[in-house]
Amino acid sequence: MRRFLPAALRLVLFVLLVTFIVSPGWFEPLLKPLTENNAPAIYNQGSLLTLTLQHLGTVAVATLGAIVVAIGLAILVTRPFGAEFLPLSRSLVNIGQTFPPVAVLALAVPAVGFGEKPTLIALFLYGLLPIFENALTGLTTLPGNVVEAARGAGMTSRQRLLKVELPLSLPVILAGIRLSVVISLATATIGSTVAAKTLGEVIIAGLISNNLAFVVQGGLIVAGLAVFIYDGLVALERVAARRMGLSGL
C-alpha cells in the first residue's frame, strides 16, 4: 500500500502535467489570480506543447552528444594506451563547469549565430562532466575476478569491453546521464535569451511583462519534466542493476 500511493500520486501528477501542456486553457481559472490589469493567464505567444517538445528535443540532442563523447573519453583513458590522457580528458570535460552556461552562450553566439546552436553547445559542455566521471568510476571499479574470468575465457579486449565492462558499468553510467539530463532540462531555459525555442521563452515573457502566471507555468512545466524524467531514469538504473546482479545499487 505504501508503494501504491506514491505511484498513484505520481501518475495523477503526470496526467495533470500532460493535460496542462496539451490543453492549458482548462487551468486558466487557477492562474488568473496571478495576473494584473486583465493580462492573459495562459501563455498566448506560442504553443506550450510545441515549446515543450522543442525543449526536450534540444536537451536530447545535447545529451546524446555528451554521452558519446564522455563515454568515449572514459573508455580511452581506462585502456593501457590511453591512461596518459586522463588529466587532459578531465580538463576538457571540466570546461562546461568552469564557464557558466550564460558565458558559453555569449561566446558561442558570435561564432554560430542566434538560435538553437549556441544552446546545444552550452548544454553539451555542461553535461560532459557527470557522465564522464560516472563512466570512469564504473569502468575502474569493476570486480577484478569477473574481468580476469573474461580474460581467461579467451575474450579479446573489445569483447571484454562490450560484453563485460560496459554492461557492468551501465547502472553507474546511467546515474551520470540522469544527473546530466536534469541539469540540462533546467539550463536549457536560458537558451531563449539567444532566440532558442525552449520553455524559457514563457518564463522570459512573464518577467518582461510582469506576468507571474507565465513565469509559474513555465517553471512548473520544466520542474515537472525534470521530476518525471529523473524518476524514469532511476527506474531504468534499477532494472540495469538487477540484470547485472547488482540489486544493492
Side-chain angles (χ1 to χ4, degrees):
M1 189 68 176
R2 289 182 180 178
R3 290 184 179 181
F4 174 75
L5 287 176
L9 179 59
R10 284 197 295 270
L11 179 60
V12 171
L13 293 175
F14 179 75
V15 171
L16 285 173
L17 177 64
V18 173
T19 303
F20 180 75
I21 293 171
V22 175
S23 302
W26 294 1
F27 298 83
E28 184 172 4
L30 295 176
L31 294 170
K32 195 64 178 176
L34 300 178
T35 63
E36 296 178 358
N37 302 322
N38 205 29
I42 302 299
Y43 184 67
N44 57 357
Q45 300 171 31
S47 166
L48 286 180
L49 176 59
T50 300
L51 287 174
T52 299
L53 293 176
Q54 290 173 321
H55 189 106
L56 290 174
T58 299
V59 170
V61 171
T63 301
L64 181 59
I67 289 171
V68 171
V69 173
I71 294 179
L73 285 175
I75 292 172
L76 172 66
V77 300
T78 54
R79 305 305 98 181
F81 61 84
E84 61 186 88
F85 294 104
L86 177 57
L88 175 60
S89 298
R90 275 218 163 98
S91 297
L92 289 174
V93 300
N94 270 294
I95 289 176
Q97 305 294 325
T98 303
F99 296 99
V102 174
V104 176
L105 287 176
L107 294 172
V109 166
V112 299
F114 287 89
E116 187 180 23
K117 290 180 181 179
T119 305
L120 286 173
I121 293 171
L123 296 183
F124 166 76
L125 292 175
Y126 216 55
L128 285 173
L129 182 61
I131 301 174
F132 174 79
E133 289 295 344
N134 276 52
L136 187 62
T137 299
L139 290 170
T140 55
T141 57
L142 296 170
N145 59 333
V146 175
V147 177
E148 286 302 318
R151 186 178 288 111
M155 286 187 175
T156 64
S157 58
R158 180 185 178 87
Q159 288 173 328
R160 290 197 302 272
L161 174 65
L162 297 178
K163 296 183 178 180
V164 178
E165 296 179 45
L166 284 177
L168 285 174
S169 304
L170 186 58
V172 181
I173 293 173
L174 285 173
I177 293 173
R178 166 168 52 86
L179 180 58
S180 179
V181 169
V182 172
I183 292 173
S184 293
L185 277 168
T187 307
T189 56
I190 67 171
S192 292
T193 60
V194 292
K197 290 293 183 180
T198 72
L199 288 164
E201 186 176 304
V202 183
I203 299 173
I204 292 172
L207 293 173
I208 292 174
S209 61
N210 196 30
N211 189 333
L212 183 58
F214 285 5
V215 177
V216 168
Q217 64 197 264
L220 284 178
I221 294 174
V222 173
L225 292 173
V227 169
F228 290 117
I229 291 175
Y230 179 96
D231 282 351
L233 289 173
V234 166
L236 193 59
E237 288 171 44
R238 290 173 179 167
V239 170
R242 283 197 297 268
R243 287 186 176 181
M244 293 300 108
L246 304 171
S247 56
L249 291 178

